[in-house]
Amino acid sequence: MTSTPKQLQQDQTMAKQDKHSHQRVASGRRGLPKSSSGTGLTIVIKLGTSSICDEITHFPLLSTLSLIVETILKLKAQGHRVVLVTSGAIGVGLRRLNLASKPKDLAQVQAIAAVGQGRLMSLYDDLFSQFNQPIAQILLTKNDLADRTQYLNACNTIDALLEMGVVPIVNENDTISVSEIRFGDNDTLSAITAGMIHADYLFLMTDVDCLYTDNPRTNPDAKPVMTVDDIAALKEKVSVASAGSSLGTGGMVTKLIAAELATAAGVTTVISRGSTPQNIFQIISQPIQHVGSVSPKSDSETTEVTNALAGATISSLPLHTRFLAKDNPMMDRKWWILHGLHAAGTIYIDQGAYKAITNASQKSSLFAAGIVDCKGTFVAQQSVRVVYRPRDYLKKDEQGQVVEEYDGPEEIDLGKGLVNYASHEILRIKGCHSRQIIDRLGYADAECVIHRENLTRTKVIQS
């Protein structure tokens, strides 16, 4: 099928963006952080509300904030690039307005955030100014990153600030955010920021030392979790049901989500206590490889030695939880599609398309023939979820009764992608072969509904 001028232009733009992404990744690092080779790290530090304001009086915790500032300055003096992601605008706003608690009305909360954001930045500026260190304010929403050009502009702006020696301070723009464009919490925002700038480390500073097997406040038998290589397996063994503080929006659950996002982008993620930020120096001085990972040439004896050495290194460090970065992180464009874009709808696919998309070696595009339904209203080049419903394909007898047992999820989320056709067009061409599209629509903008370069998979099966 011949490509249209519009499609050729999109392909050329995509190629340029992919080239830019590869250059940015190549200029950074993957695997072990750069400190192991003697060069500077890019570090994102996320400071939660509980580390900034007293939960009851809402007065700023100046001792903690001063330690954070001093830590950032020492890291910069060692040649590292540091970005601070901060919460606390609502807490500071409550103190300024002499309010006892956060209201439930959205407009009032956003108004309090507007008051608090200016005071919060003034507080940071006062502290950093004691050391003649310039800072910059960056307020983001998901809408700001939904456009590819704006996303790249945000990346380039942060890079430029770091090159100028400025400390960027990032927060969500609570004053205008609504549920559809919110990151949800600053743990997620910090993970996306870390992925955008290809950071080496993301530190989630909180009011506990690390992740525990259960809530240490209520269970004295809770054990610390020091290193995590498989977050999905961790969720099955660890209780993280405790909520965040009364001022914050997060908790340990949101930190696990942030760790998943960041490690997928190749960022080592650490949960550590906010009141002891000086522990960061020891943690980054001992980069840990994947404990228990075996190279093709390694044997069981070598693996045991590696595990022993890694365990000894970890035990000598301050309490913290380290989530190891993925060996094969997503490229920049794929990361943007998955985490920078709001899904405008959902496409449901059949069993054949499910097998083709999740096959690690096949890397297939999504064609109309494999689509059974779509929900939502969207136009071409918007982002949609790709979902498979396994119950629809269980074995049945001659009477149509299901004879195969299944206790898995009703829907399996396979990822997100940018569509070549609008929702009303997909409903007309679903199930048909690519050569039949022109008969159904009278035109054919593309052979596939989602091109493989515009499809980010969250589920991949090794063949």
Side-chain angles (χ1 to χ4, degrees), residues 225-283:
V225 179
M226 294 292 284
T227 304
V228 179
D229 203 356
D230 187 340
I231 297 177
L234 174 78
K235 288 180 178 178
E236 298 177 2
K237 301 176 182 178
V238 174
S239 172
V240 291
S242 58
S245 69
S246 62
L247 295 179
T249 58
M252 202 54 73
V253 173
T254 63
K255 288 169 178 56
L256 289 187
I257 294 172
E260 280 189 298
L261 300 182
T263 54
V267 182
T268 297
T269 305
V270 177
I271 295 176
S272 184
R273 185 177 288 275
S275 59
T276 55
Q278 61 272 20
N279 289 342
I280 291 175
F281 298 104
Q282 289 179 266
I283 294 170

Side-chain angles (χ1 to χ4, degrees), residues 109-346:
V109 172
Q110 291 179 321
I112 292 169
V115 173
Q117 182 61 36
R119 299 283 292 185
L120 181 63
M121 287 305 298
S122 176
L123 180 59
Y124 279 124
D125 194 43
D126 287 343
L127 292 171
F128 277 104
S129 292
Q130 301 301 316
F131 304 91
N132 200 29
Q133 172 61 53
I135 62 173
Q137 173 181 256
I138 299 176
L139 298 177
L140 295 174
T141 67
K142 274 193 174 180
N143 262 8
D144 298 322
L145 307 181
D147 178 80
R148 179 66 177 166
T149 301
Q150 290 184 198
Y151 172 87
L152 292 175
N153 283 345
C155 297
N156 293 335
T157 297
I158 296 175
D159 281 340
L161 288 168
L162 292 171
E163 290 299 318
M164 295 166 63
V166 177
V167 175
I169 299 181
V170 182
N171 197 0
E172 182 158 16
N173 196 346
D174 292 319
T175 303
I176 63 170
S177 290
V178 292
S179 58
E180 290 81 5
I181 63 172
R182 282 184 60 82
F183 292 102
D185 57 84
N186 277 10
D187 292 325
T188 302
L189 173 60
S190 66
I192 291 176
T193 301
M196 288 168 59
I197 63 174
H198 303 298
D200 296 276
Y201 281 99
L202 166 62
F203 282 87
L204 302 173
M205 313 302 285
T206 183
D207 55 359
V208 294
D209 290 307
C210 61
L211 176 67
Y212 288 84
T213 54
D214 200 354
N215 189 342
R217 297 187 180 96
T218 58
N219 183 0
D221 295 325
K223 300 291 190 298
V225 179
M226 294 292 284
T227 304
V228 179
D229 203 356
D230 187 340
I231 297 177
L234 174 78
K235 288 180 178 178
E236 298 177 2
K237 301 176 182 178
V238 174
S239 172
V240 291
S242 58
S245 69
S246 62
L247 295 179
T249 58
M252 202 54 73
V253 173
T254 63
K255 288 169 178 56
L256 289 187
I257 294 172
E260 280 189 298
L261 300 182
T263 54
V267 182
T268 297
T269 305
V270 177
I271 295 176
S272 184
R273 185 177 288 275
S275 59
T276 55
Q278 61 272 20
N279 289 342
I280 291 175
F281 298 104
Q282 289 179 266
I283 294 170
I284 65 174
S285 69
Q286 298 290 341
I288 305 296
Q289 288 178 308
H290 289 259
V291 179
S293 59
V294 184
S295 65
K297 295 182 179 179
S298 64
D299 52 27
S300 59
E301 183 179 346
T302 303
T303 304
E304 288 176 6
V305 172
T306 301
N307 286 344
L309 290 173
T313 300
I314 294 168
S315 63
S316 67
L317 297 174
L319 271 181
H320 70 284
T321 299
R322 186 184 309 229
F323 299 86
L324 303 179
K326 299 295 183 184
D327 290 326
N328 300 303
M330 291 182 187
M331 292 296 99
D332 183 77
R333 180 178 174 81
K334 299 279 188 177
W335 168 263
W336 168 70
I337 291 173
L338 190 59
H339 301 301
L341 297 180
H342 170 70
T346 302

